[in-house]
Amino acid sequence: MITVPFKNKGTFLYVEIYEFIKQEITAGNIKYGEKLPSKRSLANHLAVSVNTVDTAYSQLVAEGYIEAIAKKGFYICEIDSYFLAEKKVAANNKNFPINSELINIDFSPNAIDQRIFPYEPFRKIFKSTFNEYDVSLLNKPDIQGDLGLRKALVELLYRSRGVRCHENQIIIGSGTDHLLQILDLIWGRNKAIILENPVYLKAFHIFEKMGNPVISVDIDEKGIQIEPLKNYSDGAVYVTPSHQFPLGISMPIDRRIKLLNYANREEAIYIIEDDYDSEFRYNEKPLPSLQSIDKNGKVIYIGTFSKSIAPSIRISYMVLPEILLKTYLATADEISSPVSSLEQKMIAAFISEGMFEKHVNKMRKVYKEKRIVLMNALKQWGGGVKITGENAGHHLLVQLDNGLTEEAMYRRAMAQGVRVYPVSPYFINGVPERYKSMVLLGYASLTDQEIFDGIGILKKVWSL
Amino acid sequence: MITVPFKNKGTFLYVEIYEFIKQEITAGNIKYGEKLPSKRSLANHLAVSVNTVDTAYSQLVAEGYIEAIAKKGFYICEIDSYFLAEKKVAANNKNFPINSELINIDFSPNAIDQRIFPYEPFRKIFKSTFNEYDVSLLNKPDIQGDLGLRKALVELLYRSRGVRCHENQIIIGSGTDHLLQILDLIWGRNKAIILENPVYLKAFHIFEKMGNPVISVDIDEKGIQIEPLKNYSDGAVYVTPSHQFPLGISMPIDRRIKLLNYANREEAIYIIEDDYDSEFRYNEKPLPSLQSIDKNGKVIYIGTFSKSIAPSIRISYMVLPEILLKTYLATADEISSPVSSLEQKMIAAFISEGMFEKHVNKMRKVYKEKRIVLMNALKQWGGGVKITGENAGHHLLVQLDNGLTEEAMYRRAMAQGVRVYPVSPYFINGVPERYKSMVLLGYASLTDQEIFDGIGILKKVWSL
């Protein structure tokens, strides 16, 4: 007869019975085929209610340790003994620390000024958005994205970028990466992806990982070169015309038209226009997007809120030409949308209530001032410095001709707690001579003082 | 001389000048190489300030329509004429309506009861989470997921599922789909994916799209069969042991150990345990997870908040064995996390403040009652009906033996505004004889009345 050593340490009696019998079976003390005492007799033996034993037994049945055979009783099931593989397994408590050097001044090109984030507007919007009357807040998000957000974007993109589209052409993604993955699903692995070189590295990694043939075409002072493209008649050309990343070139109208004409002549060629920071142009009004010039449905327009609101907002958008839209609807629809419904609705309200444009204007003003501070600070450096890409975005580039290598520039700066961003990692097959000793300086997240101090430190360590 | 027909309809003068000259160039009225009037002379001619002309000219320069040649003036750039492809492009205003039949009673297995969503707790949590003092709210989310959420999950998963892991082993994803995509990145396309058949279709589609060899192994009354697995020595076995989707079988301990032992013997075999609705078990306490039995780092544990909170919460989690974690850190880190920082922090608070378990208990109680209502309602049907998978989750299965086909069951029900979910689409190579005339009935989102009425209608239309 089974004698359960009740410890009554707060656990239910039935749990103790269940655990005890389970151990006995696992340990092999009760063997396959053996019969358990009837519920009643075990209950009497343990001086517990029959119900208690019944609960314990049914848990054991549910987990497959014992089976109930009608009119006969409860029998132990056949259970293999667990096989422990020889190979050592590392302990569970190791840490995998993220590389975190001590940086005092970080000229990151990807940061924003967190001091001007519109907390109060978002609090208001949450209140009005998050309510019992909108059950769609709880439903799985629409695969293509919240309709309200797509409608708001149709207006916004037309006003700000001249983009003409219908809400059905818009796909909301959880970041540019995600949208590129969707394009990959639409096209399949055989579509060649032609990247401008240097390039936004994530685009390169995604397509490489996806297994597409990835081709890189060098840019010149006007952006991606057209002649090399003409070797390809089936593929997608990924470009950043408003503000080439990382070099900051804005593609002049002539090159834009040449690029479009190339796509117009090749049925199977599409252009991916990544307009990642077009909101931030300081001297003139933003350049019209490729999509706004395109009349043949050749341009896939991609934008994001990472720069214009915050990198934590995992919402980006893509305008698909109708021809691709049909393939999208046919292929991508089995995969759920990763984008939070709540945030989609909050951003939709943020835009349609006019707060977004107000916020972007404010940010542009702030960044424009920071940029002036940076440009003035750079005057301390005197000659031997080439400054480029300063007309837009959140960063500019500086290039030295005093023989200091890019790596030396990086190391000497880091040694003083100043982080700069070398340009070479953005080149797919090594950095050409004319881009040597060049680094990115982002200024969006820094204070005027930090910019001034940082440039001062760089002057010293780079001996300018 | 250029004469701009000012319409002064609120637009800036410089914009009108800029637009006019742009048109003239595009139309070919001013040609490549031609010189524009000096700013001063055009300003005099148009009776506007030199500044106005200057702004217009610099916009034209920025866009590449004209160039400034030092000491000489402004000249028209060479611009290709835009090539219009012949092929017709559809108009932009077509609609792509989503198929929306009139359903009165939907026995969806994927819905939840929206009436018990914890709005008030989430409002509180938003207030405490969304504040100026946590800048990480604005930063790009940690690639692996919010540390607070991962720590909360370590506790929760141990308490509720016996899962033992370190927060560094947890990866937060935007849904099961996303986590499977990450596994695919870790393994690459050559890893065979072995799916239980029938199966959660998205898993099938994702791996198929990713290009992995996908193998299906039939399940028997205990879950996936082990013998057929032994043909494979390199692959990942995707299973839903707690509550097989769609058949609702819970895998008994013997089969669990056989499955683990198979993996333990094959170095390159892993098991993906999708524990999608383990919170919802009604007769006994939840079965221990495979991961909790695994001692060899063979089980990848996946869970989600879609069922336990809401399908709109795009947050799921994966516990990686350490061996895979290293590969993950090496490969997946170039791709940004798609998961909203704000929601990660809100869910973290929801869990660590004990609200999550409270909510799940409430839901379990509600679903348990609905389930009783459904089981009672099903008694109207009398014989000729087999009911399975009723012990857990949000749905059960009914099978008829009155000769009615699955399709007939579906159509007749739909004709009366009742939606049921045929089982055949979940089978990868056609449905075997023993699963004919079988449909899923989900009850989570229905009221008692709807359940009762729905079952009544089905009794009629299925002539039971």
Side-chain angles (χ1 to χ4, degrees):
Chain A
M1 185 51 89
I2 298 165
T3 304
V4 182
F6 290 115
K7 308 178 195 64
N8 351 345
K9 41 168 172 45
T11 55
F12 290 111
L13 286 176
Y14 92 85
V15 175
E16 292 201 62
I17 299 171
Y18 150 78
E19 291 288 358
F20 181 78
I21 298 178
K22 195 166 103 180
Q23 280 161 31
E24 291 293 286
I25 296 171
T26 321
N29 304 335
I30 320 180
K31 297 206 168 35
Y32 166 53
E34 278 182 41
K35 185 173 187 294
L36 285 183
S38 74
K39 295 182 209 166
R40 182 163 308 284
S41 56
L42 183 59
N44 293 334
H45 173 71
L46 297 176
V48 300
S49 78
V50 176
N51 260 337
T52 307
V53 177
D54 180 63
T55 319
Y57 276 19
S58 37
Q59 180 72 27
L60 288 163
V61 171
E63 297 190 16
Y65 286 96
I66 66 175
E67 60 179 332
I69 298 176
K71 312 248 182 326
K72 298 184 69 192
F74 294 89
Y75 291 82
I76 311 302
C77 298
E78 181 171 23
I79 300 162
D80 286 16
S81 57
Y82 182 79
F83 171 84
L84 193 60
E86 283 73 25
K87 68 174 152 33
K88 275 249 160 298
V89 175
N92 260 352
N93 50 11
K94 268 203 276 70
N95 273 298
F96 297 85
I98 296 118
N99 159 27
S100 61
E101 286 135 310
L102 178 64
I103 303 300
N104 303 323
I105 301 172
D106 188 343
F107 283 98
S108 166
N110 303 316
I112 62 158
D113 187 338
Q114 300 180 323
R115 290 171 289 275
I116 52 176
F117 185 81
Y119 283 96
E120 208 36 50
F122 268 105
R123 281 199 191 85
K124 285 204 187 70
I125 284 175
F126 177 82
K127 278 210 191 71
S128 57
T129 310
F130 188 74
N131 64 67
E132 284 78 349
Y133 310 104
D134 180 4
V135 286
S136 68
L137 263 176
L138 304 183
N139 295 336
K140 205 163 190 177
D142 179 301
I143 169 81
Q144 228 181 304
D146 179 76
L147 187 60
L149 177 56
R150 287 187 276 134
K151 284 181 168 165
L153 277 167
V154 168
E155 302 295 317
L156 175 68
L157 293 178
Y158 180 67
R159 276 198 309 274
S160 62
R161 307 295 296 127
V163 169
R164 283 190 180 73
C165 67
H166 185 273
E167 66 240 27
N168 290 326
Q169 289 174 268
I170 296 184
I171 291 156
I172 305 298
S174 61
T176 306
D177 307 14
H178 174 233
L179 293 172
L180 297 180
Q181 287 168 327
I182 289 177
L183 286 176
D184 184 82
L185 282 179
I186 293 176
W187 283 321
R189 323 223 153 286
N190 301 333
K191 191 88 169 174
I193 305 298
I194 306 166
L195 301 173
E196 53 187 1
N197 183 33
V199 69
Y200 169 64
L201 281 177
K202 285 212 167 73
F204 175 65
H205 289 306
I206 287 163
F207 286 117
E208 203 190 24
K209 279 212 173 71
M210 290 283 190
N212 296 74
V214 177
I215 296 142
S216 72
V217 169
D218 293 349
I219 64 171
D220 60 22
E221 73 291 344
K222 290 180 166 189
I224 193 163
Q225 301 183 54
I226 305 302
E227 281 315 308
L229 289 178
K230 295 183 175 166
N231 302 323
Y232 309 100
S233 56
D234 183 358
V237 186
Y238 173 89
V239 288
T240 48
S242 293
H243 189 233
Q244 202 278 339
F245 192 85
L247 295 185
I249 297 162
S250 63
M251 190 183 286
I253 186 70
D254 175 45
R255 184 61 57 91
R256 286 173 191 244
I257 286 178
K258 280 196 167 69
L259 180 59
L260 288 170
N261 281 345
Y262 156 66
N264 292 339
R265 290 195 173 86
E266 297 290 353
E267 176 104 34
I269 290 287
Y270 287 93
I271 296 165
I272 305 170
E273 175 178 29
D274 185 349
D275 211 19
Y276 68 104
D277 71 354
S278 58
E279 296 90 351
F280 302 101
R281 184 158 192 89
Y282 306 115
N283 294 336
E284 308 81 19
K285 54 198 202 67
L287 296 148
S289 64
L290 277 180
Q291 203 271 3
S292 69
I293 313 173
D294 172 32
K295 294 184 180 62
N296 297 320
K298 291 303 216 157
V299 174
I300 297 145
Y301 180 87
I302 290 181
T304 171
F305 294 110
S306 305
K307 304 265 181 191
S308 52
I309 301 181
S312 63
I313 305 285
R314 304 310 296 148
I315 299 182
S316 55
Y317 43 88
M318 171 162 70
V319 179
L320 277 185
E322 298 224 352
I323 308 96
L324 294 180
L325 189 56
K326 293 184 180 62
T327 335
Y328 164 78
L329 291 169
T331 56
D333 68 328
E334 289 123 353
I335 290 180
S336 319
S337 165
V339 196
S340 147
S341 303
L342 174 61
E343 281 186 7
Q344 287 192 65
K345 290 170 184 296
M346 286 175 71
I347 299 298
F350 191 60
I351 295 171
S352 45
E353 288 169 28
M355 300 178 191
F356 176 75
E357 275 152 302
K358 241 165 88 184
H359 175 61
V360 166
N361 291 336
K362 184 174 172 188
M363 278 182 126
R364 193 184 296 113
K365 201 164 151 296
V366 170
Y367 293 147
K368 186 170 186 170
E369 284 155 9
K370 286 177 195 275
R371 180 174 154 279
I372 293 167
V373 172
L374 175 57
M375 296 300 282
N376 290 332
L378 285 170
K379 293 199 180 106
Q380 315 168 31
W381 285 5
V385 183
K386 194 168 140 225
I387 295 164
T388 49
E390 73 275 24
N391 291 335
H394 294 80
H395 75 273
L396 50 73
L397 298 98
V398 295
Q399 184 170 31
L400 305 189
D401 65 0
N402 65 359
L404 213 57
T405 67
E406 183 194 78
E407 190 186 347
M409 292 168 73
Y410 175 76
R411 295 199 178 288
R412 292 191 187 181
M414 285 294 264
Q416 298 302 313
V418 178
R419 179 165 205 158
V420 299
Y421 292 77
V423 82
S424 62
Y426 299 105
F427 284 90
I428 292 171
N429 320 309
V431 53
E433 198 47 48
R434 70 178 187 287
Y435 297 115
K436 291 261 190 261
S437 308
M438 194 178 217
V439 300
L440 285 75
L441 297 181
Y443 48 86
S445 64
L446 301 176
T447 63
D448 296 359
Q449 192 58 51
E450 287 171 323
I451 293 172
F452 190 82
D453 297 347
I455 295 304
I457 294 170
L458 292 178
K459 176 185 169 65
K460 278 199 219 67
V461 295
W462 291 350
S463 38
L464 298 169
Chain B
M1 185 53 89
I2 297 166
T3 304
V4 182
F6 290 114
K7 306 178 195 65
N8 344 350
K9 43 169 171 41
T11 55
F12 290 111
L13 288 176
Y14 92 85
V15 175
E16 292 201 62
I17 300 171
Y18 151 78
E19 291 288 358
F20 180 78
I21 299 179
K22 195 166 101 179
Q23 281 161 30
E24 291 293 286
I25 296 171
T26 321
N29 302 337
I30 321 180
K31 296 207 169 33
Y32 167 53
E34 277 181 40
K35 185 173 187 295
L36 286 183
S38 75
K39 297 181 206 168
R40 181 162 310 283
S41 58
L42 183 58
N44 293 336
H45 174 70
L46 298 174
V48 299
S49 80
V50 175
N51 259 336
T52 307
V53 176
D54 179 63
T55 319
Y57 276 19
S58 37
Q59 180 72 28
L60 289 163
V61 170
E63 297 189 15
Y65 284 96
I66 65 176
E67 61 181 328
I69 297 174
K71 311 252 183 320
K72 297 185 65 190
F74 294 88
Y75 291 83
I76 311 302
C77 299
E78 181 171 22
I79 299 163
D80 286 19
S81 57
Y82 182 79
F83 171 85
L84 193 59
E86 283 72 24
K87 68 174 152 30
K88 274 253 161 293
V89 175
N92 259 352
N93 50 12
K94 268 203 277 65
N95 272 297
F96 298 85
I98 295 117
N99 158 28
S100 62
E101 287 136 310
L102 179 63
I103 304 299
N104 303 324
I105 301 171
D106 188 343
F107 283 98
S108 166
N110 304 315
I112 62 157
D113 188 337
Q114 300 180 322
R115 290 171 288 273
I116 53 176
F117 185 81
Y119 283 96
E120 207 37 51
F122 268 104
R123 279 198 193 87
K124 285 203 186 67
I125 284 175
F126 177 82
K127 278 208 192 72
S128 56
T129 310
F130 188 74
N131 64 67
E132 285 77 350
Y133 309 105
D134 180 4
V135 287
S136 68
L137 263 177
L138 304 184
N139 294 335
K140 206 163 190 176
D142 179 302
I143 169 81
Q144 231 181 299
D146 179 75
L147 187 60
L149 177 56
R150 287 188 277 133
K151 284 182 168 162
L153 278 167
V154 168
E155 302 294 317
L156 175 68
L157 293 178
Y158 180 67
R159 276 199 307 276
S160 61
R161 307 294 297 127
V163 169
R164 283 189 180 74
C165 67
H166 185 274
E167 66 239 27
N168 290 326
Q169 288 174 268
I170 296 183
I171 290 155
I172 306 298
S174 62
T176 306
D177 307 15
H178 174 234
L179 293 173
L180 296 180
Q181 286 168 329
I182 289 178
L183 286 176
D184 183 82
L185 283 179
I186 293 176
W187 284 321
R189 325 223 153 281
N190 300 332
K191 191 88 168 173
I193 306 297
I194 306 166
L195 301 173
E196 53 186 2
N197 182 33
V199 70
Y200 169 64
L201 282 177
K202 284 210 170 76
F204 175 65
H205 289 305
I206 287 162
F207 286 117
E208 204 190 24
K209 279 211 175 71
M210 291 284 190
N212 296 75
V214 177
I215 296 141
S216 72
V217 169
D218 292 348
I219 65 171
D220 60 22
E221 73 290 347
K222 290 180 166 189
I224 193 163
Q225 300 184 52
I226 306 302
E227 281 314 309
L229 289 179
K230 295 183 175 165
N231 301 324
Y232 310 100
S233 57
D234 182 356
V237 187
Y238 173 89
V239 288
T240 48
S242 293
H243 190 233
Q244 202 278 339
F245 192 84
L247 295 184
I249 297 162
S250 63
M251 190 184 285
I253 186 71
D254 174 46
R255 184 61 56 90
R256 286 173 191 243
I257 287 179
K258 279 196 167 69
L259 180 58
L260 287 170
N261 281 344
Y262 156 66
N264 292 338
R265 291 196 172 85
E266 298 289 355
E267 176 104 35
I269 290 287
Y270 287 94
I271 297 166
I272 304 170
E273 175 179 29
D274 186 349
D275 211 18
Y276 67 104
D277 70 354
S278 59
E279 297 90 353
F280 301 101
R281 183 155 192 91
Y282 306 113
N283 294 336
E284 307 82 20
K285 54 199 204 67
L287 296 148
S289 63
L290 276 180
Q291 203 271 4
S292 69
I293 313 173
D294 172 32
K295 295 185 180 61
N296 297 320
K298 290 303 216 156
V299 174
I300 296 146
Y301 180 86
I302 290 181
T304 171
F305 294 110
S306 304
K307 305 263 180 192
S308 52
I309 300 181
S312 63
I313 306 284
R314 305 309 296 149
I315 299 183
S316 55
Y317 44 88
M318 170 161 71
V319 179
L320 276 185
E322 297 222 354
I323 308 95
L324 294 181
L325 188 56
K326 294 187 180 60
T327 335
Y328 164 78
L329 292 169
T331 56
D333 69 327
E334 290 124 351
I335 291 180
S336 318
S337 165
V339 196
S340 146
S341 303
L342 174 60
E343 281 187 7
Q344 288 192 65
K345 289 170 185 296
M346 287 175 72
I347 299 299
F350 192 59
I351 295 170
S352 45
E353 290 170 27
M355 299 178 190
F356 176 76
E357 275 152 302
K358 241 165 89 185
H359 176 60
V360 166
N361 291 335
K362 183 174 173 189
M363 277 182 128
R364 193 185 295 112
K365 201 162 152 299
V366 170
Y367 294 147
K368 186 171 186 170
E369 283 155 11
K370 287 177 195 275
R371 179 172 154 281
I372 293 167
V373 172
L374 176 56
M375 296 300 281
N376 289 334
L378 285 170
K379 295 201 179 107
Q380 316 168 32
W381 284 6
V385 184
K386 193 166 140 227
I387 294 163
T388 48
E390 72 273 26
N391 292 332
H394 294 81
H395 75 274
L396 51 73
L397 298 99
V398 294
Q399 185 170 31
L400 304 189
D401 66 358
N402 64 358
L404 213 56
T405 67
E406 184 194 76
E407 188 186 349
M409 292 168 75
Y410 175 76
R411 296 198 176 290
R412 291 191 189 180
M414 286 293 263
Q416 299 302 314
V418 178
R419 179 165 205 160
V420 298
Y421 291 78
V423 82
S424 61
Y426 300 105
F427 284 89
I428 293 171
N429 321 310
V431 53
E433 198 47 49
R434 71 176 186 289
Y435 297 114
K436 290 259 190 267
S437 308
M438 195 178 218
V439 300
L440 284 75
L441 297 181
Y443 48 85
S445 64
L446 300 175
T447 64
D448 295 0
Q449 191 58 50
E450 288 171 321
I451 293 173
F452 190 82
D453 296 347
I455 296 304
I457 294 171
L458 293 178
K459 178 185 166 64
K460 278 199 218 68
V461 294
W462 292 349
S463 38
L464 297 168

